């Protein structure tokens, strides 16, 4: 298994500002993902964080709005840029330890409110 | 494209009742994995079970059991003798490679 630490756990931000969320894993993992859960909704994949290269974004999500970094095999950041109230969501980091792994582990999430 | 349907938006039961959460999925893949996660009010996602498409054996873990039926593309989850601590949102998910497609979730409320 993998233990995932996400920071911050929650934040209230002003519209127009940006917030960077950190995801730290206690062991090296092959794959890291970022999901968004809007209020009362299901989880939607934002992107796959690729180590040493640009993230792979899902339809509807763009790098300018959600820049992602992954400098090594245990750490990734997601930035929510130029925030609006519509960005109020829970953002979750997820990891898959190895290519042969089939289980995805999730961080505790970052609850973001934009006012 | 993959799709997961959880038709039950909210279920309320009285403690000690049994409850079944439904999950129906669509995929063109022949090899895939199905998952159930629990999300308590605190927000974290708690892994409950993973099942691969070649294993149709039902599984029981304590008060939890899962019924996987490939013929009907369903992967239902039953909680026996429900408890207040079972109150949470439960998500069914389907894997595409290592990416997950989630259903919309079922809010389970267990009352005394």
């Amino acid at each position: 298994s993998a233990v995932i630490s996400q920071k911050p756990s929650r934040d209230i931000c002003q519209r127009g500002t940006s917030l960077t969320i950190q995801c730290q894993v206690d062991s090296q993992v092959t794959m890291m993902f970022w999901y968004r859960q809007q209020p009362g909704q299901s989880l939607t994949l934002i992107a796959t964080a690729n180590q040493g290269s640009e993230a792979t974004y899902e339809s509807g999500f763009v790098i300018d709005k959600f820049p992602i970094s992954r400098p090594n095999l245990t750490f990734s950041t997601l930035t929510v840029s130029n925030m609006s109230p519509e960005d109020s969501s829970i953002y979750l980091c997820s990891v898959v330890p190895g290519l042969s792994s089939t289980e995805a582990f999730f961080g505790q999430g970052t609850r973001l409110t934009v006012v | 494209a993959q799709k997961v349907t959880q038709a039950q938006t909210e279920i309320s039961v009285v403690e000690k009742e049994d409850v079944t959460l439904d999950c129906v999925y669509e995929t063109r893949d022949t090899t895939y994995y199905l998952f159930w996660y629990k999300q308590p009010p605190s927000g974290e996602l708690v892994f409950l079970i993973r099942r691969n498409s070649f294993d149709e054996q039902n599984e029981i873990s304590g008060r939890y059991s899962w019924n996987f039926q490939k013929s009907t593309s369903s992967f239902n989850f039953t909680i026996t003798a429900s408890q207040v601590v079972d109150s949470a949102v439960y998500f069914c998910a389907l894997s595409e490679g290592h990416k997950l497609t989630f259903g919309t979730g079922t809010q389970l409320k267990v009352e005394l």
Side-chain angles (χ1 to χ4, degrees):
Chain A
S1 66
V3 177
I4 304 167
S5 174
Q6 254 187 261
K7 293 180 182 179
S9 58
R10 60 175 62 230
D11 207 342
I12 301 173
C13 300
Q14 297 290 324
R15 67 175 68 201
T17 63
S18 297
L19 175 73
T20 295
I21 302 167
Q22 298 181 359
C23 178
Q24 178 73 56
V25 192
D26 68 341
S27 57
Q28 293 186 344
V29 294
T30 301
M31 309 189 77
M32 296 181 78
F33 303 92
W34 288 97
Y35 287 82
R36 180 178 73 181
Q37 185 180 20
Q38 295 176 298
Q41 304 296 314
S42 185
L43 284 80
T44 302
L45 180 64
I46 297 172
T48 303
N50 300 309
Q51 194 245 332
S53 64
E54 191 172 289
T56 304
Y57 290 85
E58 298 299 306
S59 176
F61 297 97
V62 295
I63 187 171
D64 290 346
K65 177 65 176 176
F66 297 102
I68 289 171
S69 78
R70 189 177 173 194
N72 56 52
L73 293 176
T74 63
F75 185 77
S76 178
T77 65
L78 167 73
T79 299
V80 186
S81 303
N82 188 24
M83 288 183 286
S84 67
E86 292 71 35
D87 294 320
S88 298
S89 298
I90 298 175
Y91 293 87
L92 295 108
C93 171
S94 174
V95 305
V96 175
L99 287 177
S100 60
S101 303
T102 53
E103 184 175 330
F105 299 93
F106 285 82
Q108 76 273 30
T110 296
R111 194 178 296 266
L112 170 63
T113 302
V114 183
V115 297
Chain B
Q2 303 200 332
K3 184 178 179 182
V4 177
T5 301
Q6 293 179 256
Q8 304 150 308
T9 306
E10 186 173 317
I11 301 175
S12 290
V13 299
V14 177
E15 200 175 40
K16 297 183 183 176
E17 285 184 3
D18 298 347
V19 58
T20 295
L21 310 182
D22 298 332
C23 174
V24 175
Y25 63 92
E26 295 175 28
T27 180
R28 294 180 185 173
D29 294 343
T30 55
T31 302
Y32 52 88
Y33 288 84
L34 293 161
F35 301 79
W36 276 95
Y37 286 88
K38 174 182 179 180
Q39 187 177 45
S42 51
E44 75 274 22
L45 273 180
V46 178
F47 167 82
L48 295 178
I49 191 172
R50 173 190 70 244
R51 171 67 72 227
N52 78 51
S53 53
F54 296 107
D55 181 2
E56 288 194 68
Q57 265 195 326
N58 292 331
E59 180 159 340
I60 298 175
S61 176
R63 295 186 296 108
Y64 296 168
S65 62
W66 292 269
N67 184 310
F68 175 33
Q69 293 198 351
K70 215 167 175 179
S71 60
T72 56
S73 297
S74 66
F75 186 43
N76 297 336
F77 172 32
T78 297
I79 302 175
T80 303
S82 60
Q83 299 176 2
V84 172
V85 294
D86 295 327
S87 297
V89 180
Y90 291 85
F91 290 99
C92 181
L94 172 65
S95 69
E96 178 183 7
H98 292 96
K99 298 186 287 187
L100 295 178
T101 299
F102 285 84
T104 50
T106 297
Q107 170 87 58
L108 174 64
K109 295 183 179 179
V110 182
E111 300 165 336
L112 291 171

